[in-house]
Amino acid sequence: MSTNAPDPLAALGSLPGVADAVDSVRKAVDRVYGHRVMRRRSGEITSEAALRGARASAALSGADWALEEVRRRTDFGGEEEDRTVGAALRLTAEAGQLLSIWRQSPLRVLARLHLVAAGGTEPDAAIGRPRLAGEKVDEPLIEAPLPDADEVAGRLEGLSGLIIAGSSAPALVQAAVAHGELLALRPFSSYNGLVARAAERIVLVGSGLDPKSICPAEVGHAELGRAAYVAAFDGYLSGTPEGMAAWITHCGRAVELGVRESTAVCEALQRGAA
């Protein structure tokens, strides 16, 4: 692609309120990375952020378990909620292994994410590929009209092209668009919300904004609540400047709340309480 090709994401960074959200997120992330505990125990913060992020993503998909319940459980093959929590945990663990592939082959990464999330619970033919015409979608949170299979294929190719081409847009904008587009398309037969939030994490980490994956936006999305999440997503679906700005700033607030969560973990470790 020509280096002079237009960057459709860059303009989103200039929408009202978005620049302020980007700046606020950057400052929040810098503060937690500067915490003294991060110099000695960053691996523990990363592990705890992954656990809390997975728990929160599962909660948004209808499996709202206490953190300690998620921490102690080892069997996630039973009821629907069990499978949802297990899927969220597997996705969080897998996302970090796919960073190097994302910029070269995002569609391959998305297929892998669905495969990992499904964990053998779907018919083999439906795992790890975009849904075909007539196939149903199980997504408990998002009730927006479902694009048909042809539109899904076209828009996935478009999203993939944007990612491969790269963008000068801030990491927050890129992550919010990947998240929103995957929610809008719901390209798989199941676990689309979990996959969309995992993609958001991959972008935030791979962009360099959160290289140690210690700022779990999923925690913030869950804390802000399902109603606010859906309302902000409706703004993304509208495609209007105001709606897009509302979605991006909502995602920014979610990252900041994820930062707050990990800051609390740092402080607990510093006190010797965790």
Side-chain angles (χ1 to χ4, degrees), residues 1 5-13 158 162 165-167 169 173 177:
M1 178 174 288
D7 181 353
L9 298 184
L12 297 177
L162 288 176
S167 174
V173 172
V177 168

Side-chain angles (χ1 to χ4, degrees), residues 43-147:
E44 292 172 72
I45 308 302
T46 296
S47 295
E48 190 65 19
L51 182 71
R52 294 178 184 224
R55 188 218 72 81
S57 191
L60 283 169
S61 287
D64 193 358
W65 289 14
L67 180 63
E68 293 311 313
E69 176 71 4
V70 178
R71 197 189 301 280
R72 74 172 185 83
R73 287 284 291 272
T74 57
D75 178 13
F76 299 97
E79 300 298 322
E80 182 176 352
E81 284 195 7
D82 301 41
R83 295 195 300 272
T84 298
V85 175
L89 288 167
R90 292 191 298 273
L91 279 174
T92 301
E94 186 73 10
Q97 310 302 313
L98 299 172
L99 293 171
S100 63
I101 306 172
W102 176 254
R103 283 293 301 273
Q104 286 74 43
S105 185
L107 296 184
R108 179 181 164 195
V109 170
L110 292 173
R112 175 64 184 170
L113 290 174
H114 185 244
L115 180 68
V116 168
T121 64
E122 299 287 318
D124 287 349
I127 294 178
R129 62 151 174 79
R131 54 186 167 82
L132 303 178
E135 289 183 337
K136 295 185 180 300
V137 173
D138 178 18
E139 180 50 54
L141 181 58
I142 303 302
E143 298 179 352
L146 198 64

